Amino acid sequence: MTALPAPPSRVQQVYDAIVDDICTGKLTPGTPLRQEQLAERFSVSRQPVQQALLLLRNQGMLRDFGRRGLEVAPVDADFVRHLYGLRAVLDGYAARSAAGRLTADQASYGFSLVAAGQRAETDKNYAGMVAADIDFHRFVTEHSGNPLLVESAAVIWRNVQRVMGELLFRGSAPRWVWEDHSAIFAAVVAGDADRAEALARRHAEHGEQLILEALAAEHSGGTGTAAS
């Protein structure tokens, strides 16, 4: 007998909807969030909204505003450094752990995710670029063989999605992002754990550098590019 997975809770549904709005730019940094308005919008009581907002504040997507309010937190350089420092470790470990574990069908699917990102970059489809990037890295993590890593990386990837979305929609991503993905995955498929880890770490570090440059350019009134 196989138990069916439980449907998402009201808290999870509200949480996901707010995160999606933040990641797609519908809720920009500094936007205040009111429990009453959100409860009315989602047709739920205030309790699941309150719990979702508390979770988002604890994860750094929201911050305290005024006496009892919350607002969308800005993306600043310190946040990016902390986020991508963790990401480099997790991505490197995931790539190392996944190396040599994939079946032929899984390898084929992984390369199709790389191709989807390349098409999105060519078409300047920024939403597609963010989705393809997240899908690729999640795929590698999910095939690391470590369920605790998958669980631990979930919050990291929500924040990465947010950073990428906020900046990509204002600029573009260099083609090397997708070339990196191809090289990382080729090492994973080949079972070269050392190379897979090194490439994944370097990819995250390079992405951090570009995002910090984009933030600096934005604050100085210029333009920049962002990548994962």
Side-chain angles (χ1 to χ4, degrees), residues 65-152:
F65 170 70
R67 294 181 61 185
R68 299 181 61 185
L70 292 171
E71 67 178 6
V72 179
V75 173
D76 58 27
D78 284 341
F79 178 82
V80 171
R81 292 188 186 98
H82 294 155
L83 177 64
Y84 272 74
L86 281 174
R87 183 184 168 181
V89 174
L90 291 178
D91 279 5
Y93 177 68
R96 166 175 285 279
S97 299
R101 293 178 54 89
L102 302 182
T103 66
D105 286 344
Q106 290 168 343
S108 178
Y109 181 73
F111 281 119
S112 76
L113 294 178
V114 175
Q118 292 169 332
R119 288 193 300 272
E121 194 279 333
T122 299
D123 296 339
K124 303 304 178 187
N125 178 356
Y126 298 126
M129 291 159 65
V130 173
D133 191 288
I134 296 294
D135 286 347
F136 170 77
H137 288 289
R138 279 180 175 162
F139 179 79
V140 174
T141 300
E142 287 168 357
H143 289 82
S144 66
N146 186 336
L148 293 179
L149 177 61
V150 175
E151 183 178 347
S152 300

Side-chain angles (χ1 to χ4, degrees), residues 6-217:
S9 67
R10 289 290 189 185
V11 175
Q12 187 65 47
Q13 290 175 328
V14 173
Y15 171 91
D16 288 340
I18 295 173
V19 169
D20 286 342
D21 283 351
I22 293 174
C23 292
T24 57
K26 294 179 181 178
L27 292 175
T28 58
T31 301
L33 299 180
R34 308 295 182 191
Q35 290 185 28
E36 298 83 357
Q37 295 174 351
L38 292 171
E40 181 178 355
R41 173 188 170 189
F42 299 127
S43 299
V44 298
S45 68
R46 291 178 58 180
Q47 183 177 7
V49 172
Q50 183 180 35
Q51 293 179 21
L53 293 178
L54 178 61
L55 181 59
L56 287 165
R57 186 188 68 178
N58 291 341
Q59 292 177 352
M61 288 196 182
L62 304 180
R63 68 178 182 182
D64 293 325
F65 170 70
R67 294 181 61 185
R68 299 181 61 185
L70 292 171
E71 67 178 6
V72 179
V75 173
D76 58 27
D78 284 341
F79 178 82
V80 171
R81 292 188 186 98
H82 294 155
L83 177 64
Y84 272 74
L86 281 174
R87 183 184 168 181
V89 174
L90 291 178
D91 279 5
Y93 177 68
R96 166 175 285 279
S97 299
R101 293 178 54 89
L102 302 182
T103 66
D105 286 344
Q106 290 168 343
S108 178
Y109 181 73
F111 281 119
S112 76
L113 294 178
V114 175
Q118 292 169 332
R119 288 193 300 272
E121 194 279 333
T122 299
D123 296 339
K124 303 304 178 187
N125 178 356
Y126 298 126
M129 291 159 65
V130 173
D133 191 288
I134 296 294
D135 286 347
F136 170 77
H137 288 289
R138 279 180 175 162
F139 179 79
V140 174
T141 300
E142 287 168 357
H143 289 82
S144 66
N146 186 336
L148 293 179
L149 177 61
V150 175
E151 183 178 347
S152 300
V155 173
I156 298 297
W157 279 109
R158 275 301 197 182
N159 280 288
V160 168
Q161 183 180 4
R162 184 221 174 162
V163 171
M164 289 173 57
E166 184 168 320
L167 296 177
L168 274 173
F169 288 123
R170 305 175 191 176
S172 61
R175 184 169 292 276
W176 65 256
V177 170
W178 316 106
E179 294 172 351
D180 276 8
H181 288 173
S182 181
I184 292 167
F185 200 65
V188 169
V189 172
D192 190 339
D194 289 342
R195 178 171 172 78
E197 179 178 16
L199 289 174
R201 280 178 170 268
R202 187 176 68 182
H203 176 70
E205 292 164 358
H206 199 178
E208 175 188 347
Q209 179 184 354
L210 287 182
I211 290 174
L212 291 175
E213 290 174 354
L215 284 174

